[in-house]
Amino acid sequence: NASDIYAPPGLSHPLGTDFEGADVLALLVTGARYVLFAAVIAALITVIIGTVAGLAAGYYPRLAGQAIMRVTDFVLAIPGFPVLLVLSTIWHFGSLAQMGVALGVFGWGGIARAVRAQTMSLRERGFVEAARGLGLPGRHIIRAEVLPNVAPFIGMNLMLQLTGFIYTEVGLFFLGAVPYTTNNWGVMLNNAVFQAN
């Protein structure tokens, strides 16, 4: 509503209106869908890659584990946000799913290291030693004995990763590095800073 531009918070607009007269609360709620969609995709990719890499590196600590950890160290050494900023200007992410995949590919290093540490600790426990003594294959032991004990830790990291990806995504949209056709929190911040002046 053009007559309600920059209206203060009130009963009809609890958070006021923006430079176009749109209700800020409605924009905040609808914008959450797009931010959370890409962040959930990124967090799931991160957890899947990080969990698989961490379990393998922790349970097979010799040659395979060392190779996986060198790749993990390389991923951790990459400064995520600046690299994503450059990639977003080159690739012009055409969809939120593409952005989520890009975020996830660069974010799994930390969880892989943490899962590896947990797995190496569990590897020496009695119930894992007993399973190995029974001649069970490694993949079965990882799936049936190790993974259930690491799962709560993975769930906690999923939530932490989700929060971090929301910050990153909002930052990329705020800077205008990603083309956007829909409202989201980064676009709202951009409009609040630049359209208000």
Side-chain angles (χ1 to χ4, degrees):
N1 188 346
S3 64
D4 283 340
I5 291 175
Y6 295 128
L11 291 177
S12 57
H13 303 292
L15 297 179
T17 62
D18 67 0
F19 70 101
E20 293 180 321
D23 185 76
V24 174
L25 179 60
L27 294 174
L28 192 66
V29 173
T30 57
R33 294 180 300 171
Y34 305 105
V35 172
L36 291 175
F37 177 74
V40 166
I41 290 174
L44 289 175
I45 290 172
T46 295
V47 166
I48 291 169
I49 296 175
T51 299
V52 171
L55 287 171
Y59 193 80
Y60 304 106
R62 296 190 179 172
L63 188 60
Q66 290 301 318
I68 292 170
M69 291 321 295
R70 295 299 73 80
V71 175
T72 303
D73 291 340
F74 175 74
V75 172
L76 285 171
I78 297 173
F81 188 81
V83 170
L84 285 167
L85 190 59
V86 171
L87 291 179
S88 64
T89 57
I90 295 171
W91 289 342
H92 302 293
F93 299 125
S95 69
L96 292 171
Q98 289 177 354
M99 176 185 258
V101 170
L103 289 169
V105 167
F106 287 99
W108 59 268
I111 192 169
R113 270 208 168 278
V115 169
R116 173 182 177 260
Q118 293 281 324
T119 303
M120 290 183 77
S121 171
L122 289 167
R123 191 174 185 275
E124 307 303 324
R125 301 282 179 89
F127 61 91
V128 176
E129 294 280 358
R132 274 203 298 269
L134 291 171
L136 296 173
R139 64 180 180 278
H140 175 80
I141 296 173
I142 290 172
R143 185 177 66 250
E145 304 293 344
V146 177
L147 184 58
N149 288 286
V150 181
F153 177 78
I154 294 170
M156 177 193 70
N157 272 273
L158 176 63
M159 293 299 104
L160 293 174
Q161 293 286 341
L162 189 64
T163 304
F165 287 133
I166 288 173
Y167 290 146
T168 302
E169 186 184 349
V170 168
L172 290 172
F173 276 112
F174 170 75
L175 294 173
V178 181
Y180 55 85
T181 57
T182 56
N183 174 67
N184 64 62
W185 293 346
V187 175
M188 287 180 66
L189 283 174
N190 185 292
N191 290 336
V193 171
F194 296 109
Q195 297 294 338
N197 297 326

